[in-house]
Amino acid sequence: MDVANLSFSSRELRDLAAAWIALGVAFALFFAGGGQRAVLGILEGGIVGPVLVSLLTAGVGFLLHEIAHKVVAVRFGQVAEFRADYGMLFLAVVSALAGFIFAAPGAVHHRGRLTAREHGLIALAGPATNAVLAAIFLPVFLIGATVGAEFLALVGSRGLIINLFLAAFNMLPFGPLDGKTVLGWSKSVFVAVFVPAILLTAGAFLVGFGF
């Protein structure tokens, strides 16, 4: 893949960093249960650990999802750049405080002429990256659980469930989500990605991964 023209502006890097940090805080609050008790619990137990886990799992999943969109768009000759939605980042933190999380931190915007296939592949790149990350986090969890490394096991389990969820959620065929674009390009590709993502995510939630 020729991505010689891949570059990041200072604004783009700032937006990516802001989104990464905001999501790290939001997911740390969410997994702590939300509300005042979550804030006090994190402060009493130390904020570094919970936020670090979230940065390494939700944060990395988000960053690489968006960068994957950008890489493929640039591969197809597009001018592509990530823009954070600061209002939605604020909502992610507030919703986490309320005990649930709604995260739509921004998107990669690109311009240029594209075929339906190219549009579909750009959209697919994000969820596919999350699926690969989930596969990477699984052995991290298994190793951590085997050797009794609690932090490593927690990173692995959270990374697995969050990235499976990101893959499944973004493949929903509605609104601005990636799944709608993929479905518009190829029904067979959509089914081949969406169905396993939904089943694996549901299975991971049932066995309690990440919680």
Side-chain angles (χ1 to χ4, degrees):
M1 178 177 289
D2 180 13
V3 290
N5 294 323
L6 185 67
S7 62
F8 296 86
S9 69
S10 58
R11 177 181 176 182
E12 184 176 23
L13 291 172
R14 184 173 65 248
D15 278 9
L16 285 166
W20 185 43
I21 293 169
L23 288 177
V25 173
F27 274 89
L29 291 169
F30 170 72
F31 277 106
Q36 184 179 6
R37 184 175 59 182
V39 176
L40 292 175
I42 289 175
L43 292 177
E44 290 174 0
I47 194 171
V48 175
V51 173
L52 181 59
V53 170
S54 293
L55 289 174
L56 292 174
T57 55
V60 167
F62 154 74
L63 283 176
L64 295 186
H65 177 108
E66 297 299 336
I67 289 172
H69 285 316
K70 179 184 174 83
V71 167
V72 178
V74 171
R75 167 65 179 82
F76 292 135
Q78 301 293 288
V79 176
E81 191 155 316
F82 174 78
R83 287 288 179 265
D85 186 328
Y86 286 88
M88 295 304 292
L89 290 175
F90 177 75
L91 179 60
V93 175
V94 171
S95 66
L97 283 170
F100 68 98
I101 194 160
F102 183 83
V108 169
H109 301 278
H110 54 83
R111 64 178 184 271
R113 299 186 65 179
L114 289 167
T115 65
R117 175 180 176 274
E118 289 169 340
H119 269 298
L121 289 173
I122 291 170
L124 183 62
T129 296
N130 291 125
V132 171
L133 285 171
I136 292 171
F137 277 113
L138 177 58
V140 172
F141 163 72
L142 294 174
I143 292 169
T146 300
V147 303
E150 292 184 8
F151 181 80
L152 194 63
L154 181 59
V155 168
S157 62
R158 292 259 175 99
L160 174 64
I161 187 63
I162 288 171
N163 279 282
L164 283 176
F165 175 77
L166 286 174
F169 178 78
N170 281 284
M171 282 300 295
L172 291 172
F174 306 114
L177 295 173
D178 298 322
K180 184 175 181 180
T181 303
V182 175
L183 180 61
W185 160 52
S186 171
K187 290 183 175 63
S188 59
V189 171
F190 172 79
V191 171
V193 177
F194 179 62
V195 173
I198 287 291
L199 293 176
L200 289 170
T201 302
F205 271 110
L206 286 174
V207 300
F209 268 107
F211 294 92

